[in-house]
Amino acid sequence: MKKYKVLIVDDNRLYRKKIVELKYFAENKNRFEIFADVSNGSEALEILYREKIDVCLTDINMPKIDGRMLLKEIHKGNLCPITIYISGYSEFEYAVEGLEYRLFDYLLKPIEEDKFSRTMNRVLQHLDGESKKDSFWSFKTDTIVKYIISGDWMIDGVIYDFIEFLRRQEISLGELELEINHILKYVSDHCLSSKPFIKHFSVLEEITHIEGILCTSRDELLEILNRRLKMLYDEFNKLNLYTENQLLRNISQYIIDNIESNINLERIAEEFLINSKYLSTLFKKETRVGFTDYVSIVKIERGKVLLRRRNLKVNQVASLLGYEDVGYFSRIFKEKTGFLPSVYGKIQALPVM
């Protein structure tokens, strides 16, 4: 049976400990794993952006990002299927507000074991039901995942076959929207299992979340799915070096893993015990991309995420990526993206319809 990850969010350390030690988790340790317990919504989001969490148990009144804002961000980014408030009587009114953002339940402090057990059993039933959906679509979507991970250029044909398969299913417009959200998240999560570093170079939640887009027909929704799957292919392959040379593949991964440090040709040559001039020539010959150009590509992709997700200032992003001249960083950024970084950071959502 599948085991689900739980995240606990509460600014009271002792109360987090009480939740962790609830009898239900001890009795169901084969079904639930306490992945982490943190003190505020900001820490929770850092985890949710990089890990697949199934259940988020959160207090409401917390410093930095409170439970209400956390719920909205989870809903916006489709970050976690189950969110449950655990708070006092004075915040009970927020339970109704939370329904708009798919709050699963609201439990009052102090937690009663019986009520907690009933709620978590419903959670288990819901997640197991979603897991069965995974099985239903996985025989098709796993092929798409394989093509995305390998960078196979024949992906368009595979996606077309999948869209036609969905077109033949008897499913309502509303149900199809829910399934498309589920499919996109499934594909993204499984690709991340093979390329986890991509989460640092892409705002994937903007691609995998389609709620709020007004569509009047199944064909419109399927066309959105078609475009989004192709976007996922592009996102997971945009840092690829197309070469069979294992040394250059290792260097590429080193650049990706250390992009927020002082990356340059001399440092890489020293790290891999190779002559810098020879490396420069080999890199260009084997990949058809200059070493400096490739490093710039990786830096700009990381910069896009830093600007969008962390709301850092342009000079902070430039400094993190090793650019001493902010003006030069802005010029390179615009060449690669079409936007000045100061503008790009204010964009609320990518035009990904």
Side-chain angles (χ1 to χ4, degrees), residues 267-305:
R267 176 182 168 183
I268 295 293
E270 182 179 349
E271 182 72 26
F272 285 86
L273 304 176
I274 187 173
N275 180 274
S276 59
K277 289 185 178 180
Y278 173 72
L279 173 58
S280 178
T281 302
L282 179 67
F283 204 97
K284 180 71 173 181
K285 178 183 177 181
E286 290 283 337
T287 70
R288 301 184 183 276
V289 179
F291 176 87
T292 302
D293 287 339
Y294 181 72
V295 171
S296 291
I297 290 169
V298 180
K299 284 188 175 185
I300 295 307
E301 290 301 329
R302 179 58 180 155
K304 286 160 67 175
V305 174

Side-chain angles (χ1 to χ4, degrees), residues 166-169 171 173 176 217-222:
L166 292 177
R167 202 184 303 277
R168 294 192 296 270
Q169 308 307 306
I171 184 171
L173 189 65
L176 181 59
S217 70
R218 284 161 39 94
D219 286 342
E220 287 182 64
L221 277 174
L222 289 173

